Amino acid sequence: MSDLTPEEFDKKADDIYKKISNKRMADIKRIEMKYDKEFKKFDKYFDNYLEDELNQMEKRIKSQYELNKIREANKLRKNFKF
């Protein structure tokens, strides 16, 4: 077998574990950064979509308000008699 003492063996095992752990953490960080980019793209797309929906709703509300105002004015004109 080898000439390593248990303490030396533990130290080498810890070093190997740290190298593997650091490599895994670097891989995980790289993957997180990749998906963060993708998420930001999706988030931007979704924000734009919601903004468009909000603008359309505001336009519909304004047009419905104007239509109701016109209808109300027509009702008042019909009921008004000289």
Side-chain angles (χ1 to χ4, degrees):
M1 295 225 303
S2 74
D3 300 333
L4 293 176
T5 65
E7 292 80 21
E8 291 173 334
F9 179 80
D10 286 345
K11 186 176 182 316
K12 284 195 175 195
D14 284 346
D15 289 343
I16 292 171
Y17 177 77
K18 285 179 186 174
K19 286 179 186 176
I20 292 171
S21 180
N22 288 341
K23 185 177 184 310
R24 283 187 181 163
M25 289 304 291
D27 289 344
I28 290 170
K29 195 66 165 170
R30 191 170 30 257
I31 290 169
E32 283 177 349
M33 288 172 59
K34 175 185 172 189
Y35 284 105
D36 279 349
K37 280 183 182 177
E38 293 298 319
F39 181 74
K40 285 179 183 174
K41 286 180 189 175
F42 175 75
D43 197 35
K44 187 175 182 179
Y45 170 77
F46 195 67
D47 283 347
N48 288 339
Y49 173 77
L50 289 177
E51 187 69 29
D52 290 345
E53 278 293 312
L54 180 64
N55 290 337
Q56 288 177 2
M57 284 176 58
E58 287 176 346
K59 286 178 185 176
R60 278 187 242 133
I61 290 170
K62 285 179 184 176
S63 64
Q64 187 64 40
Y65 175 76
E66 292 296 323
L67 182 63
N68 287 342
K69 217 164 113 176
I70 292 169
R71 285 181 181 161
E72 196 63 34
N74 285 340
K75 282 182 188 176
L76 291 174
R77 276 191 221 122
K78 288 180 183 177
N79 292 337
F80 187 76
K81 295 181 182 180
F82 290 98

